[in-house]
Amino acid sequence: MARAKAEVDPNLRKGRFAPYSLLSPGMLWLILFFLVPMWSLLRIALSEKPNPFLPDYNLTWHWANFTDAIDRFQTQLIRSFAYAGIATVLCILIGYPLAYFIALRGGRWRNFMLGMVMVPFFTSFLIRTIAWQTILGSDGPAIWFVRTFHLFGVTNALHLTDNDVFLNTPSAVIGGLTYNFIPFMILPIYVSIEKIDPRLIEAARDLYSAPAQAFRKVVLPLSLPGVFAGTLLTFIPAAGDFINAELLGNAKTSMIGSQISKLFLKESYYPQAAALSFIFMAIITIGVLVYARVLGTEELSA
């Protein structure tokens, strides 16, 4: 027995390193393309720029960059999370019924409807947003609709230009966020609903439950993991987006992504831009951890 154990032990010891060898490519990727850039960004965030016209930075552990960024861009931070939250709620209200219908009522048209959900991804994010800029602009169909049905008198009373009716407004920014990110809400919810055993719904009906009760007690709880995943996939990129705010909004609707882009590309004030990026990532990370703790998938599936 002891000899057999001694012969097996070397193989067992070698087998212990197999998981680490499988993880090594992914870990190497994370180190090179996540940890190293993050460390570089942190060094810049704690640096000072002696000459505003030269890309020279001195690491002085200048923590004031973080407080200065919060004081300067507090409004944009709040606005970004507010717009992203509203857009996420709209995505749930629009996407859940659509995902429910595709999963349980789609029939032979299911694949076609899923394809239609994915069609916008065949065009770049920028082009889709520019298309909405055209739709909501002064010569677009939205203004034509208002004029045709004699609704333009209201806007004239408010002394608004054509572009100010729909374009260059918070509603346009939120609408653009909702349109661009709603597929990320529909697909996870669809997967969750599609995996529900139809016999559970039939059993609820056999127990004399009304359709609304069967949905509330069976379908909705089992589909919440999809809502959880869709919320993260929608809220996080929407909060950091800047294209919709730049093309569909105005100076008063700018989001945090717009300010980070401006600091990096226009003002060349890298220390404050890096600090603002870290603040944004920290808030997102803490929010996701709290959200996962309160409404995590393990509790939902229990």
Side-chain angles (χ1 to χ4, degrees):
M1 293 290 294
R3 183 178 180 181
K5 183 178 180 180
E7 292 178 355
V8 175
D9 283 345
N11 294 329
L12 291 177
R13 285 195 296 267
K14 292 179 180 179
R16 293 175 185 174
F17 296 100
Y20 299 102
S21 62
L22 294 175
L23 287 174
S24 57
M27 294 299 296
L28 181 62
W29 179 274
L30 288 176
I31 292 173
L32 291 178
F33 298 102
F34 180 73
L35 293 181
V36 172
M38 289 292 289
W39 169 247
S40 176
L41 192 66
L42 180 61
R43 285 178 57 88
I44 296 176
L46 296 174
S47 300
E48 291 183 284
K49 190 176 182 181
N51 191 327
F53 302 102
L54 296 177
D56 296 330
Y57 307 96
N58 297 329
L59 179 60
T60 58
W61 302 97
H62 191 65
W63 294 96
N65 287 331
F66 290 89
T67 56
D68 293 343
I70 294 176
D71 293 338
R72 182 179 177 186
F73 301 107
Q74 182 179 4
T75 302
Q76 286 79 5
L77 279 169
I78 296 174
R79 184 185 297 127
S80 297
F81 291 123
Y83 285 0
I86 296 172
T88 301
V89 172
L90 291 175
C91 286
I92 294 175
L93 295 177
I94 299 171
Y96 193 101
L98 182 57
Y100 178 90
F101 181 84
I102 295 175
L104 300 181
R105 299 289 186 269
R108 61 192 182 94
W109 296 98
R110 179 183 301 177
N111 292 334
F112 173 77
M113 287 186 284
L114 281 177
M116 294 301 295
V117 172
M118 299 296 295
V119 161
F121 288 124
F122 296 169
T123 307
S124 71
F125 188 93
L126 179 62
I127 297 300
R128 297 200 306 268
T129 308
I130 292 175
W132 273 103
Q133 191 180 42
T134 303
I135 293 172
L136 301 177
S138 58
D139 297 324
I143 294 296
W144 173 87
F145 178 85
V146 171
R147 289 172 176 168
T148 301
F149 290 92
H150 306 289
L151 302 176
F152 200 69
V154 177
T155 59
N156 281 337
L158 296 175
H159 304 287
L160 299 176
T161 64
D162 286 358
N163 277 340
D164 291 329
V165 178
F166 297 111
L167 198 62
N168 302 329
T169 62
S171 299
V173 177
I174 295 172
L177 293 172
T178 303
Y179 164 75
N180 280 306
F181 294 110
I182 194 170
F184 296 107
M185 181 67 70
I186 295 174
L187 295 178
I189 296 177
Y190 164 80
V191 171
S192 293
I193 297 177
E194 196 270 338
K195 291 165 62 176
I196 297 175
D197 191 341
R199 291 174 296 182
L200 294 176
I201 303 176
E202 295 175 1
R205 293 173 180 172
D206 292 340
L207 294 174
Y208 306 103
S209 293
Q213 291 178 323
F215 171 80
R216 182 171 57 87
K217 295 182 178 181
V218 177
V219 177
L220 183 60
L222 293 177
S223 63
L224 284 181
V227 177
F228 173 80
T231 300
L232 297 181
L233 292 174
T234 302
F235 179 82
I236 294 175
D241 179 75
F242 70 95
I243 293 179
N244 287 278
E246 287 290 325
L247 297 181
L248 303 180
N250 53 45
K252 296 182 179 180
T253 61
S254 63
M255 299 173 64
I256 199 64
S258 304
Q259 299 304 320
I260 294 175
S261 174
K262 180 180 178 181
L263 287 171
F264 270 118
L265 302 179
K266 294 182 179 179
E267 298 183 12
S268 297
Y269 196 5
Y270 285 16
Q272 193 169 89
L276 187 60
S277 301
F278 264 98
I279 293 170
F280 176 74
M281 287 187 291
I283 296 174
I284 286 289
T285 302
I286 294 172
V288 169
L289 292 176
V290 172
Y291 181 67
R293 183 72 175 178
V294 175
L295 194 67
T297 54
E298 293 182 358
E299 287 77 5
L300 293 175
S301 60

